[in-house]
Amino acid sequence: MPKHSPSLRLQGLGVITVATALIACGTLPGTAPAPAPLKAATGAPLQNCVALATQFRFDQTQVTSATPEAAGALKLGANPVPAHCLVKGLMHPRKGSDGRDYAIGFEMRLPQAWNGRFYYQGNGGLDGTVQPAQGALGGGPLTGALLQGFAVISSDAGHTGAQTPFFGLEPQARLDYGYQAVAKLTPMAKGLIAAAYGKRPDRSYIGGCSNGGRHAMVAAARLGDQYDGYLVGAPGYRLPNAALAQLWGAQQWATVSTPGATIPHPMNPSATLADLGSGFTPKERQLLSSAVLEQCDALDGARDGMVQATQACQARFNLQKDVPTCQGERNGQCLTVAQKQVVAAVFSGAKTATGQPIYASFPYDTGVSGANWATWKFVNALALDPLAVGAVFSVPPGRVDPLKEDVSTRWPLFSATDDSFRESGLSLMTPPGQDNPVNLGALRARGAKMVLFHGVSDAVFSAEDTRRWIERLDQAQDGKAADFARYFPVPGMNHCSGGPAADQFDLLTPLVQWVEQGVAPQAVPASVRGAGHTGSANAELPKDWSASRTRPLCAYPTVARYKGSGSMEDAASFTCS
């Protein structure tokens, strides 16, 4: 991980860092030992449920209901959730400056058999909905915090779906969405737990994917003393940058798409969108995926239809040479010169007219063939991102036409403030100090931990952005980042799930083990969602893969490498090195 660490060459493995070799030991040369693990949580039985509706008191909080839920009344995938108490309520009800009624809506699910832990469930997108407080994890319905016995809270981040995205026109609603809802809900939730069980949580965790991952990363920077473990999935920690990059990308795709071609608008049946996908069709995306696979599949020692050595692949793959150039009409077996120019530009990352980077580059990976990849690049870039850019991130807010927007002019509005919006869009959305995360040293000092994961083929939030962040963290922490933060890229996976990938895994259990037992995660089991899966099977898996294929997710910078023998469908045949 550390760029400045000395390196060595091991036969068959290429160049690795000394720090990498010592990661599994939990120490790095010249550093103080990692702090001892925090005391493990102990459980307690639920003492109160229905009474919480009338007896619980907390400033600016209304509990609207508290009802027992029988075992199996709620399911996560095919898994029945144990008996628990469902508490619903709201915090800080108010009349907004726009005349609308606002509040931070929430629900908490309190298990009858509680494990002594609290989990804050960060939700995705623009929030606005109180999702069931299951503590559902990225990677499919393998498990969730509620199933594991955590008390779990979920919220709408301070606005309702009917107010989305117009909440961005109300300054306090913006702030609640950005970070203040989490800060307000956290102490209340701990107080509610104390009222229900007779004691406060021993250990507290926060996690989510996409915007939920952003919530967790922002909490690490702003609420470092409130949580012991941070589970950060596909973090849109630079969400304004990524959204503007989406607009920029849409304008690039438009130059090679079919003029006048349209598709139905996903949220407005009476409207249509430009068919950007006609500029890079499913067959053409599969062509690119196959070319990446041809060049990079064997870099991890196995030709198995998966590219584990992501960084080595970026050096090996060459779009211009490795993908055929059309000499005549497009037929799905080649890309035109213009298409290659657009693909190269989008993967290199959005830039202003003067060449200033707006967002990160994207790694070439096999998941470019995934339907989720296309949805984000071609549909959401027109249907969702313009709303967030104009209404939530800009000062002053204003309407955005994605295919005509001057991104160079829009970019400064993310940093602007005025008399109404006293905090900029970038400030309220991004973690303080994300460019040089020295402030996270406090997490290491007290024994808190972070686990990050990201689909390498995420089309909206770049895995390269997360990789660069973990590198910056390591530099800012003088090579000590592996003591308290580890990053697990998921090859082939799209945004939070999907794509040709082993996208089902549990990173919460390893995070708890790291926080409370001192066992640092290095190789985490992951499996595919093949035919017959008890939840929802992944239709994008190659037909020659076993329906039960497994792989280890490896802590960056290690890579899952084939041992040279054993089934290529079994994680036991691979090692993280």
Side-chain angles (χ1 to χ4, degrees), residues 398-426:
R399 189 176 180 85
V400 169
D401 184 335
L403 294 180
K404 297 180 180 178
E405 181 69 22
D406 183 345
V407 297
S408 298
T409 301
R410 175 65 54 176
W411 179 235
L413 300 185
F414 288 180
S415 302
T417 60
D418 62 20
D419 289 342
S420 297
F421 299 93
R422 298 181 181 275
E423 190 163 350
S424 73
L426 286 176

PDB file of all heavy atoms in Angstrom, residues 398-426:
ATOM      1  N   GLY A 398     -29.944  25.736  -9.384  1.00  0.00           N
ATOM      2  CA  GLY A 398     -30.547  26.115 -10.665  1.00  0.00           C
ATOM      3  C   GLY A 398     -30.738  24.909 -11.553  1.00  0.00           C
ATOM      4  O   GLY A 398     -30.206  23.829 -11.307  1.00  0.00           O
ATOM      5  N   ARG A 399     -31.508  25.081 -12.588  1.00  0.00           N
ATOM      6  CA  ARG A 399     -31.830  23.989 -13.513  1.00  0.00           C
ATOM      7  C   ARG A 399     -30.608  23.626 -14.352  1.00  0.00           C
ATOM      8  O   ARG A 399     -29.807  24.496 -14.726  1.00  0.00           O
ATOM      9  CB  ARG A 399     -32.982  24.420 -14.415  1.00  0.00           C
ATOM     10  CG  ARG A 399     -33.548  23.308 -15.283  1.00  0.00           C
ATOM     11  CD  ARG A 399     -34.749  23.816 -16.068  1.00  0.00           C
ATOM     12  NE  ARG A 399     -35.317  22.773 -16.903  1.00  0.00           N
ATOM     13  CZ  ARG A 399     -36.200  21.876 -16.481  1.00  0.00           C
ATOM     14  NH1 ARG A 399     -36.612  21.921 -15.232  1.00  0.00           N
ATOM     15  NH2 ARG A 399     -36.688  20.950 -17.298  1.00  0.00           N
ATOM     16  N   VAL A 400     -30.482  22.353 -14.658  1.00  0.00           N
ATOM     17  CA  VAL A 400     -29.339  21.853 -15.423  1.00  0.00           C
ATOM     18  C   VAL A 400     -29.849  21.053 -16.618  1.00  0.00           C
ATOM     19  O   VAL A 400     -30.681  20.148 -16.466  1.00  0.00           O
ATOM     20  CB  VAL A 400     -28.427  20.960 -14.553  1.00  0.00           C
ATOM     21  CG1 VAL A 400     -27.407  20.230 -15.410  1.00  0.00           C
ATOM     22  CG2 VAL A 400     -27.724  21.791 -13.488  1.00  0.00           C
ATOM     23  N   ASP A 401     -29.362  21.369 -17.791  1.00  0.00           N
ATOM     24  CA  ASP A 401     -29.594  20.572 -19.000  1.00  0.00           C
ATOM     25  C   ASP A 401     -28.321  19.768 -19.234  1.00  0.00           C
ATOM     26  O   ASP A 401     -27.293  20.318 -19.652  1.00  0.00           O
ATOM     27  CB  ASP A 401     -29.889  21.471 -20.193  1.00  0.00           C
ATOM     28  CG  ASP A 401     -30.227  20.676 -21.458  1.00  0.00           C
ATOM     29  OD1 ASP A 401     -29.798  19.509 -21.560  1.00  0.00           O
ATOM     30  OD2 ASP A 401     -30.912  21.223 -22.340  1.00  0.00           O
ATOM     31  N   PRO A 402     -28.327  18.462 -18.972  1.00  0.00           N
ATOM     32  CA  PRO A 402     -27.072  17.705 -18.946  1.00  0.00           C
ATOM     33  C   PRO A 402     -26.282  17.716 -20.243  1.00  0.00           C
ATOM     34  O   PRO A 402     -25.048  17.733 -20.220  1.00  0.00           O
ATOM     35  CB  PRO A 402     -27.527  16.286 -18.587  1.00  0.00           C
ATOM     36  CG  PRO A 402     -28.974  16.234 -18.957  1.00  0.00           C
ATOM     37  CD  PRO A 402     -29.500  17.610 -18.710  1.00  0.00           C
ATOM     38  N   LEU A 403     -26.960  17.706 -21.389  1.00  0.00           N
ATOM     39  CA  LEU A 403     -26.234  17.641 -22.655  1.00  0.00           C
ATOM     40  C   LEU A 403     -25.766  19.007 -23.135  1.00  0.00           C
ATOM     41  O   LEU A 403     -24.989  19.096 -24.090  1.00  0.00           O
ATOM     42  CB  LEU A 403     -27.108  16.971 -23.714  1.00  0.00           C
ATOM     43  CG  LEU A 403     -27.413  15.491 -23.457  1.00  0.00           C
ATOM     44  CD1 LEU A 403     -28.282  14.916 -24.566  1.00  0.00           C
ATOM     45  CD2 LEU A 403     -26.128  14.687 -23.304  1.00  0.00           C
ATOM     46  N   LYS A 404     -26.216  20.074 -22.479  1.00  0.00           N
ATOM     47  CA  LYS A 404     -25.807  21.419 -22.874  1.00  0.00           C
ATOM     48  C   LYS A 404     -25.022  22.137 -21.773  1.00  0.00           C
ATOM     49  O   LYS A 404     -24.498  23.227 -21.996  1.00  0.00           O
ATOM     50  CB  LYS A 404     -27.029  22.252 -23.252  1.00  0.00           C
ATOM     51  CG  LYS A 404     -27.783  21.721 -24.461  1.00  0.00           C
ATOM     52  CD  LYS A 404     -28.995  22.587 -24.790  1.00  0.00           C
ATOM     53  CE  LYS A 404     -29.755  22.070 -26.001  1.00  0.00           C
ATOM     54  NZ  LYS A 404     -30.962  22.892 -26.299  1.00  0.00           N
ATOM     55  N   GLU A 405     -24.956  21.539 -20.584  1.00  0.00           N
ATOM     56  CA  GLU A 405     -24.332  22.189 -19.440  1.00  0.00           C
ATOM     57  C   GLU A 405     -22.836  22.421 -19.679  1.00  0.00           C
ATOM     58  O   GLU A 405     -22.110  21.523 -20.117  1.00  0.00           O
ATOM     59  CB  GLU A 405     -24.512  21.331 -18.185  1.00  0.00           C
ATOM     60  CG  GLU A 405     -23.914  21.909 -16.927  1.00  0.00           C
ATOM     61  CD  GLU A 405     -24.648  23.143 -16.437  1.00  0.00           C
ATOM     62  OE1 GLU A 405     -25.832  23.324 -16.805  1.00  0.00           O
ATOM     63  OE2 GLU A 405     -24.035  23.927 -15.692  1.00  0.00           O
ATOM     64  N   ASP A 406     -22.367  23.627 -19.383  1.00  0.00           N
ATOM     65  CA  ASP A 406     -20.936  23.937 -19.418  1.00  0.00           C
ATOM     66  C   ASP A 406     -20.347  23.522 -18.069  1.00  0.00           C
ATOM     67  O   ASP A 406     -20.495  24.230 -17.074  1.00  0.00           O
ATOM     68  CB  ASP A 406     -20.732  25.435 -19.662  1.00  0.00           C
ATOM     69  CG  ASP A 406     -19.261  25.816 -19.779  1.00  0.00           C
ATOM     70  OD1 ASP A 406     -18.393  25.003 -19.397  1.00  0.00           O
ATOM     71  OD2 ASP A 406     -18.979  26.942 -20.229  1.00  0.00           O
ATOM     72  N   VAL A 407     -19.696  22.363 -18.027  1.00  0.00           N
ATOM     73  CA  VAL A 407     -19.209  21.848 -16.749  1.00  0.00           C
ATOM     74  C   VAL A 407     -18.122  22.745 -16.164  1.00  0.00           C
ATOM     75  O   VAL A 407     -17.953  22.813 -14.940  1.00  0.00           O
ATOM     76  CB  VAL A 407     -18.701  20.402 -16.890  1.00  0.00           C
ATOM     77  CG1 VAL A 407     -19.830  19.471 -17.307  1.00  0.00           C
ATOM     78  CG2 VAL A 407     -17.542  20.312 -17.859  1.00  0.00           C
ATOM     79  N   SER A 408     -17.383  23.449 -17.004  1.00  0.00           N
ATOM     80  CA  SER A 408     -16.344  24.349 -16.505  1.00  0.00           C
ATOM     81  C   SER A 408     -16.951  25.524 -15.745  1.00  0.00           C
ATOM     82  O   SER A 408     -16.376  26.021 -14.774  1.00  0.00           O
ATOM     83  CB  SER A 408     -15.488  24.865 -17.663  1.00  0.00           C
ATOM     84  OG  SER A 408     -14.814  23.799 -18.316  1.00  0.00           O
ATOM     85  N   THR A 409     -18.135  25.965 -16.178  1.00  0.00           N
ATOM     86  CA  THR A 409     -18.827  27.043 -15.479  1.00  0.00           C
ATOM     87  C   THR A 409     -19.533  26.516 -14.235  1.00  0.00           C
ATOM     88  O   THR A 409     -19.604  27.201 -13.209  1.00  0.00           O
ATOM     89  CB  THR A 409     -19.851  27.693 -16.415  1.00  0.00           C
ATOM     90  OG1 THR A 409     -19.163  28.208 -17.569  1.00  0.00           O
ATOM     91  CG2 THR A 409     -20.576  28.835 -15.724  1.00  0.00           C
ATOM     92  N   ARG A 410     -20.066  25.320 -14.312  1.00  0.00           N
ATOM     93  CA  ARG A 410     -20.769  24.727 -13.176  1.00  0.00           C
ATOM     94  C   ARG A 410     -19.816  24.381 -12.034  1.00  0.00           C
ATOM     95  O   ARG A 410     -20.164  24.509 -10.849  1.00  0.00           O
ATOM     96  CB  ARG A 410     -21.506  23.466 -13.643  1.00  0.00           C
ATOM     97  CG  ARG A 410     -22.192  22.659 -12.554  1.00  0.00           C
ATOM     98  CD  ARG A 410     -23.333  23.391 -11.887  1.00  0.00           C
ATOM     99  NE  ARG A 410     -24.317  23.881 -12.848  1.00  0.00           N
ATOM    100  CZ  ARG A 410     -25.445  24.494 -12.513  1.00  0.00           C
ATOM    101  NH1 ARG A 410     -25.719  24.712 -11.229  1.00  0.00           N
ATOM    102  NH2 ARG A 410     -26.281  24.921 -13.431  1.00  0.00           N
ATOM    103  N   TRP A 411     -18.619  23.942 -12.349  1.00  0.00           N
ATOM    104  CA  TRP A 411     -17.658  23.447 -11.354  1.00  0.00           C
ATOM    105  C   TRP A 411     -17.436  24.424 -10.199  1.00  0.00           C
ATOM    106  O   TRP A 411     -17.486  24.019  -9.019  1.00  0.00           O
ATOM    107  CB  TRP A 411     -16.356  23.098 -12.061  1.00  0.00           C
ATOM    108  CG  TRP A 411     -15.221  22.597 -11.220  1.00  0.00           C
ATOM    109  CD1 TRP A 411     -13.975  23.111 -11.157  1.00  0.00           C
ATOM    110  CD2 TRP A 411     -15.211  21.458 -10.358  1.00  0.00           C
ATOM    111  NE1 TRP A 411     -13.190  22.378 -10.312  1.00  0.00           N
ATOM    112  CE2 TRP A 411     -13.939  21.362  -9.805  1.00  0.00           C
ATOM    113  CE3 TRP A 411     -16.184  20.522  -9.988  1.00  0.00           C
ATOM    114  CZ2 TRP A 411     -13.578  20.360  -8.902  1.00  0.00           C
ATOM    115  CZ3 TRP A 411     -15.838  19.526  -9.085  1.00  0.00           C
ATOM    116  CH2 TRP A 411     -14.553  19.460  -8.560  1.00  0.00           C
ATOM    117  N   PRO A 412     -17.191  25.708 -10.424  1.00  0.00           N
ATOM    118  CA  PRO A 412     -16.969  26.630  -9.295  1.00  0.00           C
ATOM    119  C   PRO A 412     -18.184  26.785  -8.386  1.00  0.00           C
ATOM    120  O   PRO A 412     -18.028  27.170  -7.216  1.00  0.00           O
ATOM    121  CB  PRO A 412     -16.629  27.961  -9.982  1.00  0.00           C
ATOM    122  CG  PRO A 412     -16.172  27.593 -11.351  1.00  0.00           C
ATOM    123  CD  PRO A 412     -16.983  26.383 -11.717  1.00  0.00           C
ATOM    124  N   LEU A 413     -19.389  26.499  -8.875  1.00  0.00           N
ATOM    125  CA  LEU A 413     -20.586  26.652  -8.047  1.00  0.00           C
ATOM    126  C   LEU A 413     -20.631  25.632  -6.919  1.00  0.00           C
ATOM    127  O   LEU A 413     -21.343  25.833  -5.928  1.00  0.00           O
ATOM    128  CB  LEU A 413     -21.845  26.530  -8.907  1.00  0.00           C
ATOM    129  CG  LEU A 413     -22.005  27.540 -10.047  1.00  0.00           C
ATOM    130  CD1 LEU A 413     -23.363  27.363 -10.722  1.00  0.00           C
ATOM    131  CD2 LEU A 413     -21.839  28.967  -9.551  1.00  0.00           C
ATOM    132  N   PHE A 414     -19.879  24.553  -7.031  1.00  0.00           N
ATOM    133  CA  PHE A 414     -19.823  23.557  -5.961  1.00  0.00           C
ATOM    134  C   PHE A 414     -19.047  24.074  -4.750  1.00  0.00           C
ATOM    135  O   PHE A 414     -19.235  23.572  -3.640  1.00  0.00           O
ATOM    136  CB  PHE A 414     -19.163  22.267  -6.462  1.00  0.00           C
ATOM    137  CG  PHE A 414     -20.009  21.473  -7.419  1.00  0.00           C
ATOM    138  CD1 PHE A 414     -19.525  20.289  -7.956  1.00  0.00           C
ATOM    139  CD2 PHE A 414     -21.279  21.878  -7.785  1.00  0.00           C
ATOM    140  CE1 PHE A 414     -20.287  19.530  -8.835  1.00  0.00           C
ATOM    141  CE2 PHE A 414     -22.057  21.142  -8.661  1.00  0.00           C
ATOM    142  CZ  PHE A 414     -21.558  19.960  -9.196  1.00  0.00           C
ATOM    143  N   SER A 415     -18.179  25.035  -4.967  1.00  0.00           N
ATOM    144  CA  SER A 415     -17.375  25.608  -3.870  1.00  0.00           C
ATOM    145  C   SER A 415     -17.930  26.930  -3.376  1.00  0.00           C
ATOM    146  O   SER A 415     -17.406  27.502  -2.414  1.00  0.00           O
ATOM    147  CB  SER A 415     -15.928  25.817  -4.342  1.00  0.00           C
ATOM    148  OG  SER A 415     -15.343  24.616  -4.776  1.00  0.00           O
ATOM    149  N   ALA A 416     -18.980  27.419  -4.003  1.00  0.00           N
ATOM    150  CA  ALA A 416     -19.504  28.751  -3.687  1.00  0.00           C
ATOM    151  C   ALA A 416     -20.421  28.720  -2.463  1.00  0.00           C
ATOM    152  O   ALA A 416     -20.966  27.689  -2.080  1.00  0.00           O
ATOM    153  CB  ALA A 416     -20.274  29.292  -4.896  1.00  0.00           C
ATOM    154  N   THR A 417     -20.577  29.872  -1.835  1.00  0.00           N
ATOM    155  CA  THR A 417     -21.534  30.087  -0.749  1.00  0.00           C
ATOM    156  C   THR A 417     -22.227  31.425  -0.989  1.00  0.00           C
ATOM    157  O   THR A 417     -21.767  32.240  -1.790  1.00  0.00           O
ATOM    158  CB  THR A 417     -20.839  30.114   0.624  1.00  0.00           C
ATOM    159  OG1 THR A 417     -19.875  31.181   0.639  1.00  0.00           O
ATOM    160  CG2 THR A 417     -20.136  28.793   0.927  1.00  0.00           C
ATOM    161  N   ASP A 418     -23.348  31.633  -0.280  1.00  0.00           N
ATOM    162  CA  ASP A 418     -23.996  32.943  -0.310  1.00  0.00           C
ATOM    163  C   ASP A 418     -24.728  33.137   1.013  1.00  0.00           C
ATOM    164  O   ASP A 418     -24.549  32.350   1.955  1.00  0.00           O
ATOM    165  CB  ASP A 418     -24.919  33.098  -1.531  1.00  0.00           C
ATOM    166  CG  ASP A 418     -26.076  32.107  -1.560  1.00  0.00           C
ATOM    167  OD1 ASP A 418     -26.416  31.539  -0.493  1.00  0.00           O
ATOM    168  OD2 ASP A 418     -26.667  31.900  -2.637  1.00  0.00           O
ATOM    169  N   ASP A 419     -25.545  34.167   1.116  1.00  0.00           N
ATOM    170  CA  ASP A 419     -26.208  34.471   2.385  1.00  0.00           C
ATOM    171  C   ASP A 419     -27.179  33.387   2.808  1.00  0.00           C
ATOM    172  O   ASP A 419     -27.443  33.203   4.004  1.00  0.00           O
ATOM    173  CB  ASP A 419     -26.951  35.817   2.281  1.00  0.00           C
ATOM    174  CG  ASP A 419     -26.007  36.999   2.227  1.00  0.00           C
ATOM    175  OD1 ASP A 419     -24.824  36.825   2.606  1.00  0.00           O
ATOM    176  OD2 ASP A 419     -26.440  38.076   1.784  1.00  0.00           O
ATOM    177  N   SER A 420     -27.732  32.649   1.855  1.00  0.00           N
ATOM    178  CA  SER A 420     -28.660  31.566   2.188  1.00  0.00           C
ATOM    179  C   SER A 420     -27.935  30.246   2.420  1.00  0.00           C
ATOM    180  O   SER A 420     -28.232  29.505   3.367  1.00  0.00           O
ATOM    181  CB  SER A 420     -29.690  31.392   1.071  1.00  0.00           C
ATOM    182  OG  SER A 420     -30.488  32.545   0.913  1.00  0.00           O
ATOM    183  N   PHE A 421     -27.000  29.941   1.550  1.00  0.00           N
ATOM    184  CA  PHE A 421     -26.256  28.684   1.633  1.00  0.00           C
ATOM    185  C   PHE A 421     -24.838  29.007   2.120  1.00  0.00           C
ATOM    186  O   PHE A 421     -23.950  29.312   1.330  1.00  0.00           O
ATOM    187  CB  PHE A 421     -26.226  28.000   0.268  1.00  0.00           C
ATOM    188  CG  PHE A 421     -27.600  27.656  -0.257  1.00  0.00           C
ATOM    189  CD1 PHE A 421     -28.282  28.542  -1.083  1.00  0.00           C
ATOM    190  CD2 PHE A 421     -28.207  26.468   0.094  1.00  0.00           C
ATOM    191  CE1 PHE A 421     -29.543  28.239  -1.561  1.00  0.00           C
ATOM    192  CE2 PHE A 421     -29.479  26.150  -0.381  1.00  0.00           C
ATOM    193  CZ  PHE A 421     -30.151  27.033  -1.206  1.00  0.00           C
ATOM    194  N   ARG A 422     -24.657  28.918   3.427  1.00  0.00           N
ATOM    195  CA  ARG A 422     -23.399  29.345   4.038  1.00  0.00           C
ATOM    196  C   ARG A 422     -22.335  28.256   4.032  1.00  0.00           C
ATOM    197  O   ARG A 422     -21.211  28.486   4.446  1.00  0.00           O
ATOM    198  CB  ARG A 422     -23.654  29.840   5.462  1.00  0.00           C
ATOM    199  CG  ARG A 422     -24.585  31.047   5.499  1.00  0.00           C
ATOM    200  CD  ARG A 422     -24.824  31.545   6.915  1.00  0.00           C
ATOM    201  NE  ARG A 422     -25.734  32.686   6.914  1.00  0.00           N
ATOM    202  CZ  ARG A 422     -25.359  33.942   6.731  1.00  0.00           C
ATOM    203  NH1 ARG A 422     -24.078  34.220   6.542  1.00  0.00           N
ATOM    204  NH2 ARG A 422     -26.244  34.930   6.740  1.00  0.00           N
ATOM    205  N   GLU A 423     -22.713  27.071   3.587  1.00  0.00           N
ATOM    206  CA  GLU A 423     -21.748  25.986   3.428  1.00  0.00           C
ATOM    207  C   GLU A 423     -21.864  25.468   2.004  1.00  0.00           C
ATOM    208  O   GLU A 423     -22.969  25.250   1.498  1.00  0.00           O
ATOM    209  CB  GLU A 423     -22.009  24.864   4.437  1.00  0.00           C
ATOM    210  CG  GLU A 423     -20.897  23.841   4.481  1.00  0.00           C
ATOM    211  CD  GLU A 423     -20.929  22.975   5.738  1.00  0.00           C
ATOM    212  OE1 GLU A 423     -21.704  23.284   6.664  1.00  0.00           O
ATOM    213  OE2 GLU A 423     -20.182  21.984   5.784  1.00  0.00           O
ATOM    214  N   SER A 424     -20.742  25.281   1.359  1.00  0.00           N
ATOM    215  CA  SER A 424     -20.748  24.895  -0.047  1.00  0.00           C
ATOM    216  C   SER A 424     -21.156  23.430  -0.210  1.00  0.00           C
ATOM    217  O   SER A 424     -21.116  22.632   0.734  1.00  0.00           O
ATOM    218  CB  SER A 424     -19.364  25.104  -0.660  1.00  0.00           C
ATOM    219  OG  SER A 424     -18.449  24.117  -0.185  1.00  0.00           O
ATOM    220  N   GLY A 425     -21.520  23.085  -1.437  1.00  0.00           N
ATOM    221  CA  GLY A 425     -21.875  21.707  -1.739  1.00  0.00           C
ATOM    222  C   GLY A 425     -20.738  20.744  -1.477  1.00  0.00           C
ATOM    223  O   GLY A 425     -20.943  19.653  -0.929  1.00  0.00           O
ATOM    224  N   LEU A 426     -19.534  21.121  -1.850  1.00  0.00           N
ATOM    225  CA  LEU A 426     -18.383  20.254  -1.598  1.00  0.00           C
ATOM    226  C   LEU A 426     -18.132  20.100  -0.108  1.00  0.00           C
ATOM    227  O   LEU A 426     -17.816  19.003   0.376  1.00  0.00           O
ATOM    228  CB  LEU A 426     -17.135  20.822  -2.281  1.00  0.00           C
ATOM    229  CG  LEU A 426     -17.058  20.673  -3.799  1.00  0.00           C
ATOM    230  CD1 LEU A 426     -15.822  21.372  -4.340  1.00  0.00           C
ATOM    231  CD2 LEU A 426     -17.044  19.202  -4.201  1.00  0.00           C
TER     232      LEU A 426
END
